[in-house]
Amino acid sequence: MEQLNWMAEYAAFVIMLGLSVVIGLYYGCISKQNTVNDYLLGGKHMSVFPITMSLVASHISGITLLGVPSEIYSNGTQYLIVGVVNTVVVIFLVVFIYLPVFYDLQLTSVYEYLGLRFNSNIRGLSSLIFAVHLILYIPVVIYIPALAFNQVTGLDVHLITLIICVICIFYTTIGGLKAVVWTDAIQSLFTAVSILIVIILGVMQVGGIGNVIKANQEGGRIEFFKMDPNPFLRNTFWTVTIGTTFQWLSALGIHPGAVQRFVALPTHGKARKAAVWFVLGICIVKILTGAIGMLIYTKYKDCDPLMANFIDNDRKLVPYYVMDVAAKFPGLTGLFVSGIVSAALSTMSAQINTVSGTIYEDFIVKMMGIKVSDLTASIIMKCIAVISGIICVLLVFAVEKLNGILQMSISLGGVTHGALLTVFTLGVCFPWANSRGAMYGMLTSLAVMAWIVAGAQFAIYNKELKFVELDVSIAGCPANTTFSNHTDFSGLIRLNEEVYASPNVPTIYTVSYMHYSTIGTVVGIAVGLAVSLLFPTDQNIDPRLLTPCIRNFVYPKYMAETVKNGVTCHNKTDTYELVSQETKL
């Protein structure tokens, strides 16, 4: 019987990995991806459904599946306002500001835009920043599901990490974008089914949705409109809505992986549909994972697993809950873990595919001036994918030392998101922004956010900066339980209702982690515009490098000629032709 249970737990995991390998073999060996266009854009024959599923899957990792429930359990539902308020704002900004520019230009790498709008130095630096960010981010994505798998099976974390990475690198390397997109779509089904099953079982165990809402209300977990504008409070309506808007713009509006998938669609209309469905899909996943957090609190409201030493950190809260809830149903724990691993695989494969294209286009081709055949280019990108994957595996050892899944992920992204969003927004929205302004704005944003984020993370690691979590109880724990105190604030000063810090910690380090991308973007744009105005340059800007609303306002004559003549821009050659046309107007 025990052996049958063991086989059931592994079945879903093996099936999911097997399908990923088969898809990689199909697109790598049968439907070969031997050109740059095939490898990065799927030959532009992709449809909206797999692209949308791939976008959602590549942005929903184990960080979301494990981090959001833990956040809701410890700090309440304020974070979930992101699923309601941000949807309309982000869709509007992406569809009407960023997407029209990048889709019309039809660039293989979104960083080619910066070469056209500014210069090759800004393009190269931006690509480097992005590549470094991904290589630092992917190990977090890998480690979280490996930890969950370790908790369920007892296998060594690093062995699991190696297995996951080898399979992911395999199908991403040989199959290109088509393999990535279709494995993402299939893996997202595993993820969705696992989430729904856990929610259904959880609701049944606690006696219905009404009991879940009642327990969370009594425990002070339900809160959506904490309207205090204080930026030093960890989570409020304003920190969440404003902060995540900038985060999502960076992840959807200018992210090479997202833009790569939009460009892979045959029409602009389909790209817009994919963007809309993607944002809606992200919102649904956030709300569902938040519901798991509410279920966890309902079950453990009288005996906190962390204080009772049933688990040693919040990363293990969700796997512990799933093993508890699904103990009577062989295979369900394995299904949920396979969902977490699926989410990690989809994110890692998408990012490796993206980073290989970025490094090839922006360094090997542009910076080094190497021109090779399509087959050789495909081989080079595959080698880059393998090397990137190996580096990410090695960096998992460093991730083990960090704490707080969701906050850690957002904090790491906050260093680079603001800098990259700065340079693209300056280019798309501000005709007077020049290369010098863009460079200084990007570097200032990067320096300021590296200082703030590194300082805050060191303070957290040294226990000089701590955050107040909502109250938990141990009244219902077994009598022989040994408890631990996770709320020791001795030697720290209470700065506000949510933050304690040592007197040695600068106040700026205590700003809400949700505002990292906001601060980076605002600082960068302000410096970029100021430098551009102080050191103006004569420049002829191709109107198609500007977002339509700005383009129509600044170049009405050009747009009238464009409409009259039916001029369109569908490839890089047209882009350069339009630049020369603009100099004549």
Side-chain angles (χ1 to χ4, degrees):
M1 185 65 181
E2 185 177 346
Q3 187 175 5
L4 289 175
N5 291 344
W6 180 85
M7 292 176 62
E9 298 296 350
Y10 277 89
F13 182 71
V14 172
I15 291 171
M16 181 270 297
L17 292 181
L19 287 173
S20 300
V21 171
V22 168
I23 292 171
L25 286 171
Y26 173 78
Y27 284 110
C29 301
I30 299 176
S31 179
K32 295 185 178 180
Q33 314 294 298
N34 288 331
T35 68
V36 174
N37 187 54
D38 286 337
Y39 190 80
L40 295 180
L41 302 179
K44 286 189 67 65
H45 297 303
M46 305 303 297
S47 57
V48 173
F49 174 74
I51 287 290
T52 303
M53 295 295 285
S54 176
L55 279 167
V56 173
S58 63
H59 285 79
I60 298 297
S61 64
I63 295 170
T64 300
L65 299 185
L66 301 183
V68 173
S70 178
E71 169 69 22
I72 303 308
Y73 174 83
S74 301
N75 299 290
T77 59
Q78 182 63 73
Y79 177 79
L80 294 184
I81 199 70
V82 66
V84 181
V85 177
N86 286 54
T87 307
V88 176
V89 177
V90 172
I91 287 175
F92 176 83
L93 292 175
V94 170
V95 169
F96 292 102
I97 302 295
Y98 298 97
L99 181 60
V101 177
F102 299 137
Y103 190 86
D104 285 347
L105 293 176
Q106 289 287 297
L107 304 176
T108 306
S109 167
V110 71
Y111 293 106
E112 289 182 66
Y113 168 83
L114 298 178
L116 295 174
R117 178 64 176 85
F118 297 117
N119 59 42
S120 59
N121 291 332
I122 291 178
R123 172 183 175 177
L125 179 60
S126 300
S127 299
L128 179 62
I129 291 171
F130 173 75
V132 171
H133 163 69
L134 279 193
I135 290 174
L136 293 176
Y137 172 71
I138 293 173
V140 181
V141 173
I142 302 168
Y143 175 69
I144 299 304
L147 191 68
F149 199 88
N150 162 263
Q151 193 170 351
V152 172
T153 65
L155 291 177
D156 182 73
V157 171
H158 299 293
L159 175 62
I160 301 166
T161 298
L162 184 62
I163 294 171
I164 292 173
C165 290
V166 166
I167 291 174
C168 182
I169 293 169
F170 171 77
Y171 74 74
T172 303
T173 300
I174 70 168
L177 181 68
K178 284 186 177 180
V180 171
V181 166
W182 281 108
T183 51
D184 284 354
I186 291 174
Q187 288 161 1
S188 65
L189 294 177
F190 277 85
T191 304
V193 169
S194 65
I195 291 173
L196 291 174
I197 288 177
V198 168
I199 290 175
I200 292 170
L201 287 178
V203 170
M204 290 172 58
Q205 278 205 2
V206 299
I209 296 176
N211 288 340
V212 176
I213 296 175
K214 180 182 178 182
N216 280 267
Q217 281 180 332
E218 293 175 349
R221 259 62 184 173
I222 297 182
E223 182 179 45
F224 295 108
F225 298 101
K226 185 176 182 178
M227 307 305 290
D228 192 330
N230 184 354
F232 296 95
L233 290 173
R234 187 175 178 277
N235 277 354
T236 68
F237 177 88
W238 301 112
T239 58
V240 172
T241 54
I242 296 174
T244 51
T245 295
F246 282 91
Q247 293 164 22
W248 284 18
L249 284 179
S250 180
L252 178 61
I254 65 167
H255 192 287
V259 175
Q260 177 189 6
R261 282 158 178 72
F262 294 143
V263 173
L265 289 164
T267 67
H268 192 180
K270 289 186 175 182
R272 285 197 302 267
K273 287 181 181 178
V276 172
W277 285 113
F278 163 66
V279 176
L280 292 174
I282 289 285
C283 290
I284 291 171
V285 174
K286 295 280 187 181
I287 291 171
L288 290 177
T289 50
I292 293 177
M294 295 175 68
L295 285 167
I296 294 174
Y297 177 75
T298 304
K299 185 169 182 61
Y300 301 128
K301 61 185 177 65
D302 294 323
C303 185
D304 176 54
L306 201 57
M307 289 187 67
N309 285 320
F310 299 151
I311 55 175
D312 55 15
N313 62 63
D314 62 349
R315 300 170 185 169
K316 298 181 178 180
L317 181 62
V318 176
Y320 175 80
Y321 171 75
V322 173
M323 292 173 67
D324 192 0
V325 169
K328 297 180 180 179
F329 303 92
L332 290 186
T333 302
L335 177 63
F336 184 78
V337 172
S338 72
I340 296 174
V341 174
S342 294
L345 282 170
S346 58
T347 302
M348 182 181 178
S349 62
Q351 307 295 18
I352 288 179
N353 179 263
T354 300
V355 81
S356 65
T358 299
I359 291 174
Y360 174 77
E361 290 287 341
D362 297 328
F363 290 99
I364 294 178
V365 174
K366 183 67 178 177
M367 305 292 288
M368 301 177 66
I370 297 177
K371 293 189 179 296
V372 296
S373 67
D374 275 347
L375 179 59
T376 303
S378 177
I379 294 172
I380 292 173
M381 284 188 290
K382 290 173 181 179
C383 291
I384 295 171
V386 172
I387 294 170
S388 301
I390 293 172
I391 294 172
C392 293
V393 173
L394 297 176
L395 287 175
V396 169
F397 290 93
V399 173
E400 290 181 296
K401 308 298 181 183
L402 302 177
N403 293 315
I405 301 171
L406 191 63
Q407 181 165 337
M408 172 182 61
S409 171
I410 293 174
S411 297
L412 291 176
V415 177
T416 57
H417 285 171
L420 294 175
L421 190 56
T422 287
V423 71
F424 279 104
T425 304
L426 284 172
V428 167
C429 297
F430 299 96
W432 65 90
N434 57 33
S435 300
R436 178 179 290 186
M439 179 64 78
Y440 278 94
M442 181 168 54
L443 290 175
T444 303
S445 172
L446 194 65
V448 169
M449 295 318 302
W451 166 54
I452 293 175
V453 173
Q457 289 300 310
F458 275 116
I460 293 172
Y461 181 77
N462 294 325
K463 304 189 185 306
E464 294 180 328
L465 178 61
K466 293 186 177 182
F467 304 96
V468 179
E469 296 180 346
L470 296 178
D471 292 337
V472 292
S473 174
I474 53 175
C477 292
N480 60 347
T481 303
T482 302
F483 301 104
S484 58
N485 183 11
H486 295 276
T487 57
D488 181 13
F489 300 113
S490 58
L492 305 180
I493 300 173
R494 185 163 194 165
L495 302 181
N496 56 54
E497 60 189 273
E498 295 182 355
V499 180
Y500 280 84
S502 165
N504 300 322
V505 174
T507 304
I508 190 63
Y509 292 171
T510 66
V511 71
S512 172
Y513 71 102
M514 298 298 296
H515 275 320
Y516 288 164
S517 294
T518 308
I519 296 171
T521 305
V522 171
V523 168
I525 290 177
V527 171
L529 293 179
V531 171
S532 297
L533 292 172
L534 289 172
F535 302 96
T537 57
D538 294 328
Q539 54 181 350
N540 291 314
I541 301 174
D542 177 356
R544 293 190 178 276
L545 298 176
L546 301 172
T547 192
C549 57
I550 301 297
R551 182 192 309 162
N552 296 342
F553 179 74
V554 177
Y555 296 102
K557 178 183 175 182
Y558 176 84
M559 293 312 297
E561 289 293 325
T562 300
V563 173
K564 178 180 177 181
N565 298 327
V567 177
T568 57
C569 176
H570 292 298
N571 56 50
K572 285 180 272 191
T573 303
D574 291 341
T575 301
Y576 289 103
E577 290 175 354
L578 285 171
V579 173
S580 62
Q581 289 177 19
E582 167 55 16
T583 60
K584 300 175 184 178
L585 291 176

